[in-house]
Amino acid sequence: MRSRILLLFLLFWSLVLSTANEPLSTGIAVGMAAALTGFLATYQNVLYYFHECCRQEWISYNNTALEIDMKKKLFGQHIASRVIIKAVTGFMNNKNPKKPLVLSLHGWTGTGKNFVSQLLAENIYKEGMASSYVHQFVSTTHFPHPSEINTYKSQLQQWIKGNVTLCPRSMFIFDEMDKMHAGLIDSIKPYMDYYDNLDGISYRQAIFIFLSNAGGENITRVVLDFWSAGRDREEIQLKDLEAALSLEVFNNKRSGFWHTSLIDKNLVDFFVPFLPLEFSHVRKCVLAEMEARDLTPDEEIASQVAKEMTYFPKPENVFSVKGCKTIASKLDYFN
């Protein structure tokens, strides 16, 4: 559809330009201009096909595609996959949500938190992470100096207010919450609360996602207990982790969530644990990376790459220290 409209547009315009400079063809040019005007009137939304805007053509949630992506590309995260799909699907299908969707993803490096954020963006926004309506903040990059916290608060408030004004269905991703200065995130608490609007702006359709390594020790302890008892990690449920996870993050002075009103006022909809990855999961990550590169999956190479990773705790060596984070570079070595 977009290519057809573009072709017609260029055809009309080229005809207008080619005839406009000929005195005897002025009438033709005027006629062509009128035809072009009529064409654009018929397709009054033609520009929306070529420039991203806050409309359904560019923002449309694909539940089926997200489920497929989670199943084929995310490994060892049965809790996160199930909770996130249900939470996002319910929120996106709700025509009148009472508040924005707020998710807090927790776990060690390389377990899939950033990756899931990317999958969500790709299955909601046509442009994915490159969308003008997806905004990512990294604490150590965007908020590095403790002495500037008041400036950061003001800037963050204005950024969120301005972007939600432009598009109510905006997504905000905050990475490295465990490195954020305490108190900063409370400056945007009103935007995640149960308000119809603030100063005439409704934030109810926005999505806020927080990523943090905080809580990783508690998550690992629970998973290791299951492993030691000979129980399948798939038996672990959200209720086994969520309450303790939120409490640990709330009381962690080194976390951006320390004594935050977001937790105190129950504004975080789900604390989502990302479990530490085992050898079998790392192998699947390698095979998935091969497929993404259009390489023929090689089980032997996948095993070799997985064995190159460092595992903990000693002497069990059950979980990958870096999860799947360095898989791409290690696969380069074997190719």
Side-chain angles (χ1 to χ4, degrees):
M1 181 63 178
R2 291 176 60 189
S3 59
R4 185 188 307 170
I5 293 174
L6 178 60
L7 179 61
L8 290 172
F9 181 86
L10 293 175
L11 177 60
F12 273 119
W13 193 245
S14 64
L15 287 173
V16 170
L17 292 177
S18 65
T19 58
N21 292 324
E22 301 176 20
L24 297 177
S25 303
T26 302
I28 298 176
V30 172
M32 293 303 298
L36 177 59
T37 301
F39 171 75
L40 291 178
T42 301
Y43 292 93
Q44 58 181 325
N45 297 325
V46 64
L47 294 180
Y48 294 135
Y49 284 94
F50 307 108
H51 186 272
E52 185 184 26
C53 57
C54 190
R55 289 166 56 98
Q56 189 173 1
E57 291 90 343
W58 295 89
I59 304 175
S60 181
Y61 175 54
N62 192 331
N63 174 47
T64 302
L66 179 62
E67 290 184 359
I68 293 174
D69 281 345
M70 290 282 203
K71 184 176 181 179
K72 292 181 61 177
K73 302 176 181 179
L74 183 67
F75 308 110
Q77 306 301 348
H78 66 285
I79 298 176
S81 178
R82 181 172 62 249
V83 171
I84 291 172
I85 289 174
K86 286 187 175 182
V88 174
T89 300
F91 179 74
M92 296 297 291
N93 289 340
N94 188 345
K95 301 299 182 182
N96 186 31
K98 300 300 182 183
K99 63 181 288 296
L101 177 63
V102 182
L103 302 174
S104 190
L105 316 185
H106 298 264
W108 289 130
T109 295
T111 52
K113 303 184 298 297
N114 270 294
F115 183 60
V116 164
S117 300
Q118 176 185 326
L119 292 181
L120 289 176
E122 290 175 352
N123 286 289
I124 295 177
Y125 303 90
K126 194 170 186 177
E127 297 294 299
M129 290 296 292
S131 171
S132 300
Y133 310 118
V134 176
H135 313 278
Q136 186 169 32
F137 303 91
V138 180
S139 294
T140 53
T141 299
H142 295 97
F143 319 112
H145 308 297
S147 60
E148 298 293 325
I149 188 169
N150 289 329
T151 299
Y152 297 150
K153 286 181 179 181
S154 177
Q155 291 174 340
L156 193 53
Q157 289 171 343
Q158 293 304 312
W159 182 260
I160 291 177
K161 181 178 180 180
N163 281 286
V164 173
T165 300
L166 291 174
C167 184
R169 183 69 83 191
S170 292
M171 176 183 287
F172 301 94
I173 303 170
F174 292 85
D175 197 2
E176 298 185 346
M177 279 299 297
D178 48 305
K179 296 180 178 65
M180 180 178 284
H181 309 303
L184 175 56
I185 205 64
D186 278 323
S187 66
I188 60 172
K189 177 258 181 187
Y191 306 140
M192 288 175 264
D193 213 328
Y194 292 84
Y195 294 117
D196 288 336
N197 66 77
L198 292 171
D199 297 326
I201 303 170
S202 175
Y203 297 85
R204 291 182 168 193
Q205 294 186 57
I207 299 174
F208 292 84
I209 303 175
F210 300 106
L211 314 179
S212 176
N213 289 348
E217 291 183 8
N218 182 59
I219 295 170
T220 299
R221 183 166 55 251
V222 172
V223 181
L224 188 59
D225 286 344
F226 270 73
W227 181 85
S228 298
R231 300 176 63 184
D232 193 327
R233 62 190 277 144
E234 299 285 332
E235 296 179 38
I236 303 174
Q237 301 180 40
L238 181 62
K239 65 181 182 181
D240 296 321
L241 290 163
E242 189 175 34
L245 184 57
S246 63
L247 185 62
E248 179 181 343
V249 172
F250 183 76
N251 290 320
N252 186 344
K253 291 185 178 181
R254 293 175 295 176
S255 168
F257 279 130
W258 183 64
H259 285 189
T260 176
S261 58
L262 296 185
I263 297 177
D264 194 38
K265 300 299 182 182
N266 299 307
L267 297 180
V268 178
D269 296 300
F270 293 97
F271 287 89
V272 185
F274 279 68
L275 312 184
L277 301 181
E278 300 176 20
F279 180 84
S280 61
H281 305 125
V282 176
R283 283 187 73 259
K284 291 179 180 178
C285 286
V286 180
L287 291 171
E289 178 66 19
M290 290 179 177
E291 184 175 347
R293 298 185 185 188
D294 293 324
L295 299 174
T296 302
D298 189 315
E299 298 283 348
E300 184 176 346
I301 290 180
S303 294
Q304 290 178 348
V305 174
K307 289 177 182 177
E308 288 292 314
M309 304 297 284
T310 303
Y311 294 84
F312 76 102
K314 304 296 183 183
E316 294 91 347
N317 295 326
V318 182
F319 308 121
S320 172
V321 171
K322 296 182 180 179
C324 287
K325 192 164 188 174
T326 58
I327 286 301
S329 58
K330 291 202 177 281
L331 183 57
D332 289 339
Y333 175 79
F334 284 92
N335 285 290

